[in-house]
């Protein structure tokens, strides 16, 4: 079994348009185990019950934003090792340094192409 | 279509197809033949949706005499055309032995009242002859074509021509 | 797999929601008049809405939309960061930018281009809002540096199982040995215990079973392959087999093939991250959970509505058959039928409500109309909305856009006085326009009211006279005069401005409302204002009807149009010597023309005898009235409306059809059409015979 077949990814974005676009790109890459949630809290619950290998999360979400989700993931023994990629249309140094401190694995700037997302993912999980 | 096949007798291959050389499917046309009074007609099977028994329709105000009204086809309101009256063969006096051909014509679902549905025939398109202009012919729509069969003359009808012309209704 | 075009459609649907959220937020900021302390969550929500629209738009390369959203977002970002204070001016700018953003979304959706110059002044104002405050709007710096952090995976088996206490899948091979049953054990107990640990799927292997004749019930010849999924480790499973460990063969394998090896850099789980978290501040407020919703193709809903209509009809056919079979007296049957009827009704109402949507987006569109119209008219307008949560059939909402737009424009253009006139009348300079929606006795009532000068009745009367719409010497009540506004051809020409409905009169509004099965009425008090009310059925799919009989045909008349039913006494009917068209009935000193429905519809040639007729007094919105002579009145019932036009065409005097309890079709009459026709006939009559003409 290849990494592509096994890698499980949780996509978190409050906009279903963005979720759809990320999932479509992941499917194009051949990733099959994709789950998704529209907000940080339910993603957290889902991941605590059934951890994924990687979370791809939007930054700007109501309630729990992407970095708060990352922080909460890292504070839970079950989810702390999950890889985390932040997606945002506005990324500044402040967000990145906070992300770095929390153990963010990578980030990607919106909008992105499938090859860009692939590169971003491969930097975290290795060749797909 | 299932209602149709169950309502109709086993397709009876006519002599005509045997007397002709073998035809490719594209050159053949399947028709449903039916009787109006004592005349035999047929219609392209592609427009026929189903065959039903006659039920009393609801009259429509100021409709042409050959529009008997509307009937309930599983929740859809379907107009019912008396083919005999439409072809100027005199109005039918429908009873439950009469049959209604439900057809899809110009995106409308319409019922056509006929005396009986006979069979499904496969005829070569080349056997369809244009209907001659006849003086003194009844004033209804003329057949789209004529087909000579050993049983007699078969008139091919374009169901669309049987619909009431647009703007036939009185303006209120 | 979703296609790009599916996602694009989702994007536009989401844009509608986001624009609604944006407008909600802006109302909170600007609605109060003096925007001082604005709640940061509101600004965040506004920012997020614009940001999300931009993000989605960028993915589909709607560049014009992205560019504008970006400029808008920069201003909002400065507000969010507290670098820009909220002023009346800024609040106005944000509102107009939101309107323009909506234009961009619409343009992207329809594929057309906005005029190149449109929005340039807004862009300039947005950019100025930043430079005035000394805020840099240059957010487009080079992407910041970030070194990706690789995860290390172990693609082997079973490593570090215990580090993941989440759910796992296990496969267990369980083969009891020969002495299993003898020792007093039962495999069922073990399977039950496993089932208590997680999701169990146990498949027995029957291969070793002999023929029934050779079967020895004391010997267990079964073995199992068990899949178990749950938050458990191998030891949990082994515990279940503790007592039979030496009486069976046990194989436990994990089905989870990829497991994590802990990345070296992560802080220990029980120690908080060392670095400070500057941007994660404040309590993580629980997001207000939006109601879960489903987007469904309206075709599906319509098909369901149709089917439920059939169900209701079927139920009444059944109930009639039971009655006719003389079985209605059977208590269980009667109770069952009554349950079925109630259930069908409930399902019908439930399905109808799927189509219902709150009028809020419609009202928000009107807010935009108010802004544009007040600018053009040079009037300050305070716009209030009430009952935004009122649910109305989706189709109705869509078809209300144009009539309401016209009514709102009309209120601003004609209803409200000029600022000078208002001040002179001792009113506040800003006029009030109120839009409200409410459910009232089974109908939806939508009102547009203003606090302007009221209808100028002498002027209306004068215009109607000069246009020959009424006789020069006609004396009309206030209500009659107000009703003149809705007459075709009436247009208050002396006050036509660029706004006044684009050359469309209120008569068009009225007929649009009528097509929806609604009524439009007006009430006005001089000096205090005007209210126009739309009253609509809750849904377009059903109608309250009176079932009647005419010349052997069963028909339905909409209850809404019936003012009264009566069986006239002979002395209440007068013959004017004009055959079937020449009868009138006297009702409270008013002569109402009698129309024999059977003759009108062409079902008979001779009118029904006066002593046999039942009269339905029907009235139109404009107050025109007539008495329909019918053979009998049966009962009132709710009927499902079925179109005639798809398969046939328009039928004179008929609005639609329905299917009755006996499965037959009944036509639903159109009283407006009948009265309109009769009025024409009467007019011809009155010219010839000089008979009193009815309004």
């Amino acid at each position: 079994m290849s990494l592509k077949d096994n890698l499980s990814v949780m996509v978190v974005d409050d906009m279903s348009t963005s979720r759809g676009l990320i999932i479509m790109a992941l499917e194009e890459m051949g990733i099959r185990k994709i789950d998704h949630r529209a907000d940080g809290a339910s993603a957290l619950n889902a991941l605590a019950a059934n951890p994924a290998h990687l979370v791809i999360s939007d930054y700007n979400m109501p309630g729990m934003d992407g970095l708060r989700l990352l922080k909460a993931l890292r504070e839970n023994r079950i989810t702390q090792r999950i890889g985390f990629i932040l997606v945002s249309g506005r990324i500044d140094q402040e967000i990145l340094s906070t992300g770095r401190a929390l153990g963010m694995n990578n980030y990607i700037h919106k909008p992105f192409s499938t090859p860009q997302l692939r590169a971003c993912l491969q930097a975290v999980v290795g060749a797909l | 279509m299932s209602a149709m096949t169950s309502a109709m007798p086993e397709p009876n291959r006519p002599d005509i197809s045997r007397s002709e050389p073998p035809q490719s499917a594209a050159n053949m046309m399947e028709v449903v033949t039916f009787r109006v009074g004592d005349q035999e007609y047929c219609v392209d099977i592609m427009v026929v949706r189903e065959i039903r028994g006659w039920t009393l329709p609801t009259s429509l105000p100021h409709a042409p005499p050959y529009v008997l009204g509307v009937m309930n086809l599983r929740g859809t309101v379907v107009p019912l055309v008396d083919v005999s009256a439409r072809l100027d063969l005199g109005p039918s006096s429908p009873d439950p032995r009469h049959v209604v051909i439900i057809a899809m014509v110009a995106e409308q679902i319409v019922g056509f009242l006929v005396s009986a549905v006979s069979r499904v025939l496969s005829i070569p398109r080349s056997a369809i002859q244009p209907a001659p202009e006849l003086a003194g012919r009844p004033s209804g729509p003329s057949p789209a074509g004529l087909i000579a069969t050993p049983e007699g003359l078969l008139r091919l009808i374009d169901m669309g021509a049987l619909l009431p012309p647009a703007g036939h209704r009185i303006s209120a | 797999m979703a296609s790009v075009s599916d996602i694009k459609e989702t994007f536009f649907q989401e844009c509608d929601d986001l624009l609604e959220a944006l407008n909600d937020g802006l109302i909170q900021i600007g609605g109060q008049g003096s925007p001082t302390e604005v709640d940061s969550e509101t600004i965040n929500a506004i920012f997020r809405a614009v940001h999300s629209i931009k993000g989605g738009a960028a993915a589909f390369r709607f560049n014009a939309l992205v560019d504008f959203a970006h400029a808008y977002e920069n201003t909002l970002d400065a507000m969010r960061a507290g670098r820009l204070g909220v002023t009346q001016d800024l609040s106005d700018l944000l509102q107009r930018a939101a309107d323009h953003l909506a234009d961009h979304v619409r343009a992207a959706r329809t594929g057309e281009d906005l005029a190149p110059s449109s929005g340039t002044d807004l862009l300039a104002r947005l950019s100025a809002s930043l430079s005035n405050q000394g805020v840099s709007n240059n957010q487009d710096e080079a992407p910041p540096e970030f070194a990706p952090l690789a995860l290390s995976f172990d693609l082997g088996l079973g490593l570090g199982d215990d580090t993941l206490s989440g759910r796992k899948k296990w496969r267990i091979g369980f083969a009891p040995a020969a002495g299993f049953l003898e020792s007093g054990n039962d495999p069922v107990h073990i399977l039950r215990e496993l089932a208590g640990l997680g999701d169990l799927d146990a498949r027995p292997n029957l291969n070793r079973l002999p023929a029934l004749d050779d079967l020895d019930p004391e010997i267990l010849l079964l073995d199992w392959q068990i899949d178990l999924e749950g938050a458990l480790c191998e030891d949990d499973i082994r515990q279940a087999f503790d007592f039979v460990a030496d009486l069976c063969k046990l194989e436990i394998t994990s089905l989870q093939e990829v497991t994590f090896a802990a990345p070296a850099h992560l802080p220990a789980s029980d120690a908080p991250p060392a670095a400070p978290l500057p941007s994660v501040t404040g309590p993580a407020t629980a997001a207000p959970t939006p109601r879960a919703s489903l987007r469904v193709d309206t075709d599906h809903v319509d098909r369901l509505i149709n089917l439920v209509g059939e169900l209701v009809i079927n139920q009444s056919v059944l109930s009639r058959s039971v009655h006719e079979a003389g079985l209605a007296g059977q208590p269980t049957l009667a109770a069952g039928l009554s349950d079925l009827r109630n259930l069908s009704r409930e399902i019908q109402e439930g399905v109808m409500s799927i189509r219902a949507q709150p009028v809020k987006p419609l009202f928000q569109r009107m807010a935009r109309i108010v802004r544009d119209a007040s600018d053009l008219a040079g009037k300050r307008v305070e716009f209030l909305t009430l009952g935004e949560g009122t649910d109305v059939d989706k189709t109705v909402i869509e078809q209300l856009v144009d009539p309401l737009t016209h009514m709102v424009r009309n209120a601003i253009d004609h209803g409200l006085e000029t600022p000078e006139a208002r001040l002179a009348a001792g009113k506040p300079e800003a006029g009030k326009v109120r839009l409200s929606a409410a459910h009232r006795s089974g109908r939806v009532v939508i009102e547009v009211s203003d606090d302007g000068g009221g209808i100028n009745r002498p002027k209306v009367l004068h215009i109607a006279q000069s246009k020959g719409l009424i006789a020069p010497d006609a004396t009309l009540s206030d209500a009659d005069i107000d009703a003149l506004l809705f007459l075709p051809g009436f247009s208050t020409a002396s006050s036509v401005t660029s706004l006044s409905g684009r050359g469309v009169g209120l008569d068009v509004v009225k007929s649009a409302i009528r097509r929806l099965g609604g009524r439009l009425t007006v009430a006005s008090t001089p000096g205090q204002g005007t209210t126009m009310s739309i009253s609509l059925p809750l849904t377009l799919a059903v109608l309250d009807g009176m079932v009647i009989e005419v010349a052997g045909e069963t028909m339905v008349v909409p209850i809404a149009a019936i003012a009264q039913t009566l069986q006239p006494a002979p002395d209440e009917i007068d013959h004017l010597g004009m055959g079937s068209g020449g009868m009138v009935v006297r009702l409270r000193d008013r002569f109402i023309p009698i129309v024999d429905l059977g003759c009108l519809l062409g079902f008979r040639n001779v009118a029904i005898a006066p002593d046999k007729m039942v009269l339905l007094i029907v009235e139109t919105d404009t107050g025109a009235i007539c008495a329909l002579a019918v053979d009998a009145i049966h009962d009132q019932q709710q009927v499902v409306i079925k179109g005639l036009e798809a398969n046939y065409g328009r039928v004179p005097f008929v609005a639609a059809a329905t299917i009755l309890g006996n499965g037959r079709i009944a036509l639903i009459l159109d009283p407006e059409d009948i009265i309109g026709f009769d009025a024409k006939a009467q007019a011809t009559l009155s010219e010839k015979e000089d008979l009193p003409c009815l309004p």
Side-chain angles (χ1 to χ4, degrees), chain C residues 383-627:
Chain C
F383 183 60
L384 307 166
T385 56
L386 235 97
E388 288 187 324
T390 309
D391 284 331
V392 180
D393 189 289
K394 183 174 156 44
T395 317
V396 176
I397 291 183
E398 284 159 7
Q399 298 191 29
L400 277 176
V401 174
D402 290 339
L404 263 191
T405 301
H406 192 89
M407 288 162 70
V408 166
R409 283 203 185 122
N410 193 75
I412 293 167
D413 206 28
H414 301 304
L416 295 180
E417 314 92 325
T418 59
E420 304 79 52
R422 287 186 66 87
L423 290 171
K427 292 181 179 180
E429 188 193 333
K432 278 200 180 82
V433 171
R434 202 187 65 158
L435 183 58
S436 70
H439 284 284
R440 233 175 269 162
S441 55
R443 292 178 78 84
V444 182
V445 179
I446 295 175
E447 290 185 344
V448 179
S449 53
D450 63 66
D451 69 343
I455 293 173
N456 185 341
R457 293 193 176 112
K459 188 170 152 196
V460 169
L461 199 58
H462 177 74
I463 291 169
Q465 281 166 345
S466 65
K467 296 202 167 199
L469 297 169
I470 49 168
D473 53 349
T475 48
L476 298 178
S477 68
D478 285 354
D480 290 342
I481 296 173
D482 294 350
L484 293 173
L485 291 173
F486 300 117
L487 281 186
F490 183 94
S491 167
T492 49
S494 66
S495 59
V496 164
T497 69
S498 61
L499 292 182
S500 59
R502 294 168 179 161
V504 172
L506 279 173
D507 58 313
V508 175
V509 175
K510 180 147 196 156
S511 50
I513 299 298
R514 215 179 68 190
R515 275 197 298 278
L516 295 173
R519 290 188 295 257
L520 178 65
T521 52
V522 62
S524 180
T525 313
Q528 289 180 27
T530 305
T531 298
M532 294 216 187
S533 308
I534 300 172
S535 160
L536 292 164
L538 279 184
T539 157
L540 297 179
V542 291
L543 172 130
D544 283 313
M546 177 80 84
V547 182
I548 58 160
E549 195 160 313
V550 181
E553 293 284 337
T554 306
M555 312 192 98
V556 176
V557 181
I559 294 273
I562 302 176
Q564 192 183 344
T565 60
L566 72 150
Q567 221 155 356
D571 63 335
E572 287 171 326
I573 293 182
D574 286 298
H575 294 260
L576 301 177
M578 291 299 301
S580 66
M583 275 193 288
V584 293
V585 60
R586 228 175 320 123
L587 196 65
R588 290 185 292 274
D589 292 329
R590 193 171 174 190
F591 290 102
I592 297 167
I594 295 175
V595 174
D596 184 276
L597 209 47
C599 293
L600 182 78
L601 300 177
F603 292 163
R604 63 184 164 212
N605 297 321
V606 180
I608 186 170
D611 59 329
K612 297 244 169 48
M613 63 172 58
V614 180
L615 295 179
L616 299 178
I617 311 295
V618 292
E619 216 172 345
T620 66
D621 292 337
T622 50
I625 196 166
C626 89

Side-chain angles (χ1 to χ4, degrees), chain C residues 200-216:
Chain C
L200 181 84
D201 177 22
R203 293 174 302 275
N205 173 14
L206 309 176
N207 288 342
R208 289 191 293 147
L209 279 187
L212 189 59
D213 285 345
D214 306 330
L215 186 75
D216 181 353

Side-chain angles (χ1 to χ4, degrees), chain B residues 1-86:
Chain B
M1 291 305 263
S2 60
M4 189 188 79
T5 37
S6 64
M8 248 174 320
E10 189 59 25
N12 210 347
R13 292 294 155 193
D15 297 325
I16 186 168
S17 58
R18 268 181 259 137
S19 61
E20 295 281 320
Q23 298 283 339
S24 73
N27 294 331
M28 301 298 285
M29 179 185 194
E30 279 205 293
V31 297
V32 176
T33 75
F34 57 92
R35 209 159 42 73
V36 177
D38 55 2
Q39 300 205 343
E40 282 284 325
Y41 291 88
C42 67
V43 59
D44 186 349
I45 201 168
M46 297 311 288
V47 306
V48 178
R49 305 288 292 268
E50 62 182 281
I51 313 285
R52 317 185 90 223
W54 175 82
T55 49
L56 185 69
T58 297
S59 306
L60 287 176
H62 303 289
Y66 53 84
V67 175
L68 297 174
V70 283
M71 52 186 274
N72 173 10
L73 179 71
R74 291 184 299 277
T76 305
V77 181
V78 174
L80 182 58
V81 171
D82 178 356
V83 176
S84 174
R86 183 66 177 119

